[in-house]
Amino acid sequence: MVKKKTAVFRADASQKIGSGHVMRCLTLADLLREEGWATYFICRDHPGQMSDTLKAAGHVVHLLDHKQATESDIEPDYSGWLGTSQGDDADATIKFLKDLHADWVVADHYALDYEWESAVAPYCDHLMVIDDLANRKHQCDLILDQTHGRMPADYSALVPKEARILCGATYALLRPDFAAMRETSLRNKSRDTVSHILISMGGSDPDNITHDILGLLSDFPLPEKCKVTAVVGAQSRHLASLTDCARSLPFPCDLLSNVTDMAALMASCDLAIGAAGSTSWERCCLGLPSIMIVLADNQKLVAQNLENSGAAFIVENAGLIEREFPQYINLLLSDPQLRKTMSIVSSHIVDGLGRERVAFSMEEFNAS
């Protein structure tokens, strides 16, 4: 009997961290599982962890004890996200790995670096890091940074010389439904009128930026029959107030949580207002013109590169929304050709096949 190839993912989600790290790992894990791999997740039991989502997708989940995050989780120091030391986290991970021959360990965590990876590496055949900061050393065989405009030279001094470096949005880890909806979405983006606007500020949106955007739109003359859809996390503490807000708006507004078909929703929209996180690549794949709000330091490079490419407008921090958002929404509503150009430019950045390219690179290591 041929032994299944095995991948173990170390990633966390929480109310503070958000869901992006786990979701992009899940996207890759789903493909590996479809190809016959055994897939496992090691996650810290933080409030807001996503073990139910991972288990529902067919992956085995091992939860590490919850540790209270410290004040050092304020960016740009992410060490507090673990709630413990890298050494303790590595020991807990190794305890799980000792009984499992892992072909790959995949680490996606801003609080982990060379120290953790060096300890864990002897307990797997290969170690992969998913990162988008390029700010610390790594001990790995393969590193992935899906940031548009990121270059391998940004990591050349941070990883071993023999490590393979995958850089750029061509490797963006998207679920297959985005590639499947791509043609339909791009066709829809050729419309001259705006009839559907999407607001998606991420799973947690702790500062309730969604409410601010809805308030600004309520003072703006939207096109006749234009509707707005706002997507929020099911665990958002602002859900009740947003529900009341949506009912009072002068335009139709759907407030959705636990959206299972984001690709179809994005494909139906004419423009989006969203956080400058991992959903940026989803919007690009579907050619969705966007106003991006930078909500964290690690989102700045993504946003700036997309704006420089002509794929999006950016608001560099939440404090500038009231001043800058109206001019951007006015431009997008009033200029069909601008929207069409932005759609084409953004669609050339991401084609939706990144996870297949990453999985192929992993398979190449296994074959060598």
Side-chain angles (χ1 to χ4, degrees):
M1 181 177 178
V2 178
K3 176 188 174 295
K4 280 188 174 183
K5 286 172 289 212
T6 302
V8 179
F9 292 82
R10 176 69 188 94
D12 284 337
S14 74
Q15 294 169 352
K16 181 174 290 291
I17 296 171
S19 60
H21 297 272
V22 167
M23 289 304 297
R24 63 187 178 187
C25 286
L26 175 59
T27 297
L28 179 57
D30 283 345
L31 177 59
L32 297 178
R33 186 171 179 273
E34 291 168 11
E35 295 181 349
W37 291 51
T39 48
Y40 300 81
F41 278 79
I42 301 175
C43 304
R44 185 71 60 182
D45 193 12
H46 294 307
Q49 53 88 359
M50 300 176 63
S51 60
D52 289 345
T53 300
L54 298 171
K55 290 175 183 177
H59 308 289
V60 178
V61 180
H62 177 70
L63 288 178
L64 304 178
D65 291 341
H66 168 61
K67 304 287 186 180
Q68 183 63 44
T70 64
E71 291 302 315
S72 63
D73 61 4
I74 299 173
E75 292 177 310
D77 180 2
Y78 299 94
S79 60
W81 282 17
L82 277 180
T84 188
S85 69
Q86 290 197 65
D88 287 345
D89 195 279
D91 288 343
T93 300
I94 290 167
K95 185 176 180 181
F96 177 80
L97 291 174
K98 279 183 176 179
D99 298 325
L100 182 74
H101 180 85
D103 294 274
W104 282 91
V105 167
V106 180
D108 186 347
H109 207 301
Y110 291 160
L112 301 179
D113 60 21
Y114 182 92
E115 177 186 345
W116 185 94
E117 295 148 10
S118 296
V120 170
Y123 297 90
C124 60
D125 288 347
H126 304 292
L127 197 148
M128 173 181 171
V129 169
I130 301 176
D131 190 26
D132 41 46
L133 299 178
N135 67 345
R136 61 204 190 281
K137 287 189 174 183
H138 294 288
Q139 179 61 43
C140 59
D141 301 293
L142 180 66
I143 189 161
L144 164 65
D145 186 328
Q146 57 187 12
T147 303
H148 175 53
R150 180 72 75 194
M151 303 299 291
D154 296 332
Y155 282 98
S156 60
L158 301 177
V159 299
K161 289 183 179 180
E162 63 274 13
R164 188 172 302 175
I165 303 171
L166 306 180
C167 279
T170 188
Y171 296 105
L173 298 172
L174 300 188
R175 299 188 303 277
D177 43 332
F178 287 93
M181 290 299 301
R182 181 173 162 86
E183 184 177 345
T184 297
S185 182
L186 294 178
R187 187 166 55 248
N188 290 343
K189 302 306 178 281
S190 64
R191 296 185 294 229
D192 287 334
T193 58
V194 173
S195 59
H196 194 179
I197 298 172
L198 174 67
I199 303 172
S200 178
M201 301 309 304
S204 55
D205 190 16
D207 297 322
N208 205 11
I209 304 299
T210 301
H211 186 277
D212 297 341
I213 297 297
L214 288 172
L216 288 170
L217 287 177
S218 69
D219 294 330
F220 209 88
L222 296 183
E224 187 179 359
K225 297 182 180 180
C226 179
K227 73 172 184 176
V228 174
T229 297
V231 176
V232 297
Q235 296 181 335
S236 170
R237 61 178 181 267
H238 306 296
L239 196 55
S241 64
L242 285 171
T243 300
D244 292 338
C245 176
R247 290 171 180 158
S248 67
L249 294 169
F251 48 79
C253 179
D254 292 329
L255 186 66
L256 305 180
S257 61
N258 284 331
V259 175
T260 58
D261 197 354
M262 183 62 85
L265 176 58
M266 286 186 177
S268 72
C269 293
D270 301 293
L271 63 91
I273 302 109
S278 56
T279 55
S280 302
W281 316 127
E282 298 171 354
R283 296 190 293 262
C284 283
C285 179
L286 298 181
L288 183 57
S290 303
I291 301 172
M292 299 170 59
I293 317 294
V294 177
L295 301 179
D297 286 345
N298 64 291
Q299 297 176 354
K300 289 180 179 178
L301 181 63
V302 170
Q304 288 167 355
N305 286 344
L306 288 175
E307 183 177 60
N308 291 342
S309 298
F313 289 119
I314 68 167
V315 177
E316 292 189 347
N317 62 71
L320 297 174
I321 293 175
E322 189 172 354
R323 187 179 79 186
E324 297 185 356
F325 177 79
Q327 60 180 313
Y328 294 148
I329 193 70
N330 181 55
L331 282 169
L332 285 168
L333 289 174
S334 62
D335 192 338
Q337 188 55 51
L338 173 63
R339 295 196 305 274
K340 293 174 186 178
T341 299
M342 290 177 71
S343 177
I344 293 169
V345 169
S346 61
S347 70
H348 287 168
I349 293 171
V350 179
D351 63 6
L353 301 177
R355 70 171 191 160
E356 285 78 8
R357 296 184 180 101
V358 174
F360 179 77
S361 290
M362 296 171 73
E363 292 279 13
E364 281 189 319
F365 269 96
N366 288 341
S368 60

